[in-house]
Amino acid sequence: MKMEPRPLTVKPPGFHLPTNKIPRRHVSCRRVVSAECTSRRDVLIAPLLAIGAYALHSAVAKADETAEVKQQVKEEAINSRIYDATAIGEPLALGKDKSKAWEKMMNARIVYLGEAEQVPTRDDKEVEMEIVSKLRKRCAQVERPLSLALEAIPCDLQSPLNRYMDGRINADALKPLLTHWPSQRWQEYEPLLTYCRDNGVPLIACGLPLAILRTIQGEGVGGLSKSDRKKYGPPAGSGFITGFRSISRRSSSSSSSSLDINFSSPPAPFEPSSYFSMQAKVVEDYSMSQIILQAVTAGGSNGMLVVVTGANHVAYGSRGTGLPARISRNIQKKNQVVILLDPERQYIRGEGEVPVADFLWYSAARPCSRNCFDRAEIARVMNAAGTRREALPQDLQNGLDLGLVSPEVLQNFFDLERYPIISELTNRFQGFRERLLADPKFLHRLAIEESISITTALVAQYTRRRERFIQELDYVVTDTLRGIVVDFFTVWLPAPTLSFLPVVDTASPDSLEAVKGLLGSIPDNAFQKNPVGRDWNLNHRIASVVFGGLKLAGVGFVSSIGAVASSNILYLLRKLINPSFAEMEQNKRSPILKSALVYSTFLGTSANLRYQIIAGIVEHRISDEFSDQPLLVNGISFVARTINSYWGTQQWIDLARSTGVQASKKEEIVVSSFEACKVLEDTTNIDEAEANQR
C-alpha cells in the first residue's frame, strides 16, 4: 500500500506544540535532554557563582574592616597627650597610636582617674568626659556594663543621686544638696552627670560624708562617735597605722625630693600636712575602697568601674596606702589601671622603683612645669631630620625649653622643610612659620582666595569695560593688584597661629612692652583651639575679634587711599603723554576720605567676622574632622570662600549706595567683582573712562 506523504508544516517563530499533542516518547526524550543540559549548566555555573560570592563577601568584609579601623582611629584621635609612666626613666609618650592605653583600660576592672589637686582645672573634666564616653562605646560593643564612681559626691547622697538618674528629680533639685560645691564646680561636673544619665551609665557616690570629714580634720578619728567610726573608719589591724606612718614618711621626705608629684591632702580650713588631715585621708581611702568593692561586685565579673577622685588617693605608693593598694587585697593590681590627669610634676622612675601611675594624661591646653613632652621622642625626630637644635628658629628653641613644642609640631616643621620655597618662607618669616605650624594647609587657603579674587575680578572688569578693556588696561592692573593685596590680608590676619615666643608681662612699666604683651596674649583667630600652654577664655576671644577688626580696618583705609592715589597718578601720566586727554576728562571723582572711612569700616566689621568664622570654624575645626581627605577639605574651603566673597560683595554694594560712596542707577548693574575692595575702585574708574570717551 502506497503511503501518501504528509504535507510539510512550517512553524512560525516562537511557536510550540502543546505538550498533549506531542507523542509521549518525544516528551520523554526532551525531558532527558533538558535534564542533561541543566546538569551541565549547573556544573559550569556553580563554581563561578561560588567564586563570585566569595569575592563579594571578601570585598564587603574588607570594606567593613577598613571602615571599622578608620572609625576606631577616629575615635582614638584625641587632643591630648598620653605618657606611659611605667617606663624606666622619663615617662614615654605614646604618640599618635594610643591603642596601648585603651587596651590596658579594657582589660581592667577598675580604672582610676586622678584629678590634679594643687591647681584644679576644668580641663580634667573634659578629659574625663572623653575617656568615659569612649569606654562606654567600647564596653557597649562587647556587652560589658560600665559604672562611674565620683568622690566629689558624698556617699550619703546616693539616694537623691539615684532619683536624679531615674529622672524623678532634675538638676535643679540635686544641685542644692551639694552644699560644699562652689558655683563653678557644678558647671564643671554637669556635662558628665548629664551624659551618664542620658546614656544609662550608673553613678556611684563614693565620697566621705562632709560632716565626717570635717570632724576628723578638726578633732581626729577620736572625735567620731562609735557608730560613725565603726561605719567609716578602718577596723583594727586593717592597715590604719601602717598607712598613716607611710603617709607621714612620704610627707616628711617630699620637701627634699625634687621629683615628687605635687599631691596634697584636703586643704582648707586645715593645714594639709597636719596630723588630723593625714588621718582624714586614710579614712577616706578606706571608706572609698569599701564602696568601690561593693560596686565592682554588683557589676559582675564582666563589669568595669571608672573612679574619679583626687590624685593623692590613687597614686601608687607604699604597701597599704592608696585605693589601688587597699583594693589589691581583693582585686589584683593587674586588673586596676591608674591614670593621673594633668599632674603638675612627673616622676623619673629608676630601676626597681614603683611607678606613680600607669599613664599620665595631659589635656591639650594644660602646661607642665617640666618634661611636658618626651625629650627622647623629640630627639628621635631631630635625629631623623638630621638637624641640630641650634639650627632651629629661635622661637622653636624657646618652645622646646618651655616644653611647649610637641614632637608632632616639630615633625610638621621638618615636613615643610622638604619644599624649597616653603622652607625659605618658614625660616625667614616668623609669621609664615606660625601660620603653617598651626595649619599646614594655610598656603592652600591663600591660593584658593587669591584665585577666586583674580578670576572674578578680571571677568568682571572685562564685562564692564568690554571694548575699552585694552585701552584701560592700566586701570585694570591697578584694581587687580589692589584686590590681591587686600585678599592677602583678609586671609593672613584672621588665620590661626602657633607661637612659642614668651609673652611679655602686661604689668610692665614700659607702655610699649605692655601693649606687646597684651597683643601676644590673645589669639589671632577668635575660634582657634587652645594650644599647649595657652588657656584663652571668652574675654581673650572677644578681644581677638576687636583687634582683628582694627587691623583689617587699617588695611582697608590704607588700601583705599593708595588705590585712589594710584588712580590719580595714572591720570597725570596720561595727561602728560596725551594733553588732549585732559580736555575729555569730565568725571566727578568720589571723595577720597569718605570712601576710605566707609571701606575701612566695612572690612573691620563685616569682612572681619566672616573671615574669622571661615578660618576658625570652617577650616580650623570642621575641616580637621576630614584631615585624611585633602580633596574634600579643599573643596569645603573653596565653596565657603566663594559664597563668602559673593555675600560680602552684596553687603558692600548696599553699604556703598546707602552712604553715597557709590551712586545708584536705575538700570541693573552687573556686579563687578566678588571682592568689596574692587567694587568701589572699579565703579570710580569706569565712570572716569566713560567721561573720557565722551
Side-chain angles (χ1 to χ4, degrees), residues 215-528:
T215 300
I216 300 174
Q217 288 177 333
E219 305 175 25
V221 178
L224 296 176
S225 64
K226 291 184 178 180
S227 59
D228 287 339
R229 182 167 184 175
K230 181 178 179 180
K231 183 177 180 179
Y232 300 107
S238 63
F240 176 83
I241 301 299
T242 304
F244 169 66
R245 289 177 178 172
S246 299
I247 295 174
S248 300
R249 288 195 299 269
R250 188 172 64 178
S251 176
S252 62
S253 62
S254 61
S255 59
S256 61
S257 175
S258 61
L259 301 178
D260 189 17
I261 288 189
N262 199 2
F263 297 144
S264 67
S265 300
F270 305 99
E271 187 66 25
S273 59
S274 69
Y275 178 83
F276 292 153
S277 293
M278 294 178 185
Q279 288 188 8
K281 180 191 178 303
V282 174
V283 174
E284 282 185 299
D285 289 345
Y286 174 77
S287 176
M288 282 194 290
S289 67
Q290 299 306 303
I291 296 174
I292 291 171
L293 286 173
Q294 293 175 7
V296 172
T297 304
S301 59
N302 192 37
M304 176 187 293
L305 178 66
V306 178
V307 181
V308 177
T309 181
N312 75 92
H313 292 292
V314 296
Y316 291 134
S318 304
R319 182 179 179 182
T321 64
L323 292 176
R326 289 185 177 274
I327 293 178
S328 64
R329 301 167 187 174
N330 300 89
I331 299 176
Q332 296 180 350
K333 281 190 176 181
K334 67 178 183 180
N335 293 324
Q336 304 180 62
V337 174
V338 174
I339 300 174
L340 300 185
L341 307 178
D342 296 318
E344 288 87 357
R345 297 179 185 174
Q346 294 182 1
Y347 274 119
I348 298 180
R349 185 189 176 200
E351 285 284 351
E353 293 182 356
V354 177
V356 67
D358 292 291
F359 300 103
L360 307 180
W361 203 305
Y362 289 89
S363 60
R366 183 69 171 170
C368 174
S369 58
R370 60 181 299 278
N371 301 330
C372 192
F373 296 106
D374 184 22
R375 292 199 295 266
E377 186 178 354
I378 289 179
R380 287 194 294 271
V381 174
M382 297 281 290
N383 293 334
T387 305
R388 297 179 60 85
R389 182 181 179 279
E390 292 75 14
L392 295 174
Q394 188 61 44
D395 58 333
L396 284 180
Q397 295 185 36
N398 293 337
L400 290 174
D401 293 337
L402 297 174
L404 301 177
V405 178
S406 68
E408 287 81 6
V409 169
L410 198 59
Q411 185 62 56
N412 289 339
F413 175 77
F414 290 135
D415 290 341
L416 296 173
E417 290 282 295
R418 299 176 183 175
Y419 307 99
I421 297 178
I422 298 180
S423 175
E424 192 70 18
L425 290 174
T426 55
N427 282 283
R428 287 184 175 272
F429 303 102
Q430 179 184 338
F432 267 109
R433 182 166 59 251
E434 292 177 352
R435 284 162 175 79
L436 286 170
L437 289 179
D439 182 10
K441 295 183 176 62
F442 169 74
L443 292 180
H444 294 178
R445 327 284 194 204
L446 183 60
I448 289 173
E449 183 72 25
E450 293 291 2
S451 62
I452 294 173
S453 171
I454 295 173
T455 302
T456 55
L458 291 177
V459 170
Q461 292 276 8
Y462 182 78
T463 302
R464 294 295 301 273
R465 300 180 190 275
R466 296 289 182 183
E467 65 277 358
R468 303 195 305 271
F469 185 82
I470 301 299
Q471 180 183 355
E472 301 172 2
L473 190 61
D474 47 359
Y475 288 123
V476 174
V477 173
T478 302
D479 293 346
T480 305
L481 289 177
R482 178 197 181 195
I484 291 174
V485 172
V486 174
D487 285 329
F488 173 83
F489 282 104
T490 55
V491 178
W492 176 273
L493 293 177
T497 58
L498 195 59
S499 176
F500 302 109
L501 292 177
V503 178
V504 182
D505 187 5
T506 55
S508 173
D510 189 348
S511 58
L512 181 59
E513 292 297 323
V515 172
K516 289 182 179 179
L518 178 61
L519 295 178
S521 64
I522 63 176
D524 288 286
N525 188 282
F527 305 99
Q528 181 178 349

Side-chain angles (χ1 to χ4, degrees), residues 104-153:
K104 193 164 186 177
M105 283 188 279
M106 288 301 296
N107 291 330
R109 298 190 62 188
I110 304 176
V111 177
Y112 302 99
L113 304 182
E115 298 178 322
E117 295 177 302
Q118 278 280 4
V119 186
T121 172
R122 63 182 309 160
D123 294 333
D124 289 351
K125 305 301 178 294
E126 297 177 0
V127 176
E128 289 164 8
M129 171 69 80
E130 198 159 13
I131 294 174
V132 171
S133 61
K134 285 179 170 54
L135 284 178
R136 190 199 70 82
K137 292 179 181 178
R138 291 170 177 267
C139 289
Q141 293 174 357
V142 296
E143 298 181 354
R144 187 178 181 186
L146 176 70
S147 303
L148 177 65
L150 299 174
E151 182 207 359
I153 302 180

Side-chain angles (χ1 to χ4, degrees), residues 15-247:
F15 176 83
H16 298 283
L17 288 174
T19 306
N20 57 0
K21 299 296 184 181
I22 300 177
R24 183 171 298 176
R25 63 179 182 273
H26 293 171
V27 173
S28 178
C29 292
R30 286 182 59 182
R31 287 177 178 173
V32 172
V33 173
S34 177
E36 291 177 355
C37 293
T38 303
S39 178
R40 286 195 297 268
R41 184 170 63 250
D42 292 345
V43 170
L44 293 174
I45 294 177
L48 297 178
L49 291 176
I51 294 174
Y54 177 77
L56 181 62
H57 181 271
S58 300
V60 172
K62 185 175 181 180
D64 292 342
E65 182 180 356
T66 303
E68 184 178 352
V69 171
K70 287 185 177 180
Q71 180 67 19
Q72 184 176 356
V73 171
K74 184 177 180 180
E75 287 182 358
E76 290 180 359
I78 199 169
N79 295 324
S80 52
R81 181 165 296 277
I82 307 176
Y83 288 84
D84 183 1
T86 62
I88 301 298
E90 292 185 353
L92 180 64
L94 298 186
K96 296 181 179 179
D97 183 14
K98 300 176 174 62
S99 58
K100 178 180 179 181
W102 295 115
E103 290 175 2
K104 193 164 186 177
M105 283 188 279
M106 288 301 296
N107 291 330
R109 298 190 62 188
I110 304 176
V111 177
Y112 302 99
L113 304 182
E115 298 178 322
E117 295 177 302
Q118 278 280 4
V119 186
T121 172
R122 63 182 309 160
D123 294 333
D124 289 351
K125 305 301 178 294
E126 297 177 0
V127 176
E128 289 164 8
M129 171 69 80
E130 198 159 13
I131 294 174
V132 171
S133 61
K134 285 179 170 54
L135 284 178
R136 190 199 70 82
K137 292 179 181 178
R138 291 170 177 267
C139 289
Q141 293 174 357
V142 296
E143 298 181 354
R144 187 178 181 186
L146 176 70
S147 303
L148 177 65
L150 299 174
E151 182 207 359
I153 302 180
C155 60
D156 55 349
L157 295 180
Q158 184 65 55
S159 179
L161 184 61
N162 292 339
R163 294 198 297 272
Y164 169 78
M165 294 296 292
D166 295 339
R168 287 178 285 173
I169 63 174
N170 56 17
D172 294 334
L174 179 64
K175 185 177 179 180
L177 301 177
L178 302 169
T179 56
H180 62 294
W181 279 15
S183 57
Q184 70 273 13
R185 180 72 63 84
W186 175 262
Q187 297 175 0
E188 295 172 357
Y189 272 99
E190 186 177 17
L192 186 60
L193 298 176
T194 304
Y195 175 84
C196 292
R197 183 189 60 188
D198 296 342
N199 292 274
V201 178
L203 285 178
I204 300 167
C206 65
L208 194 64
L210 192 60
I212 303 298
L213 179 62
R214 288 177 175 173
T215 300
I216 300 174
Q217 288 177 333
E219 305 175 25
V221 178
L224 296 176
S225 64
K226 291 184 178 180
S227 59
D228 287 339
R229 182 167 184 175
K230 181 178 179 180
K231 183 177 180 179
Y232 300 107
S238 63
F240 176 83
I241 301 299
T242 304
F244 169 66
R245 289 177 178 172
S246 299
I247 295 174

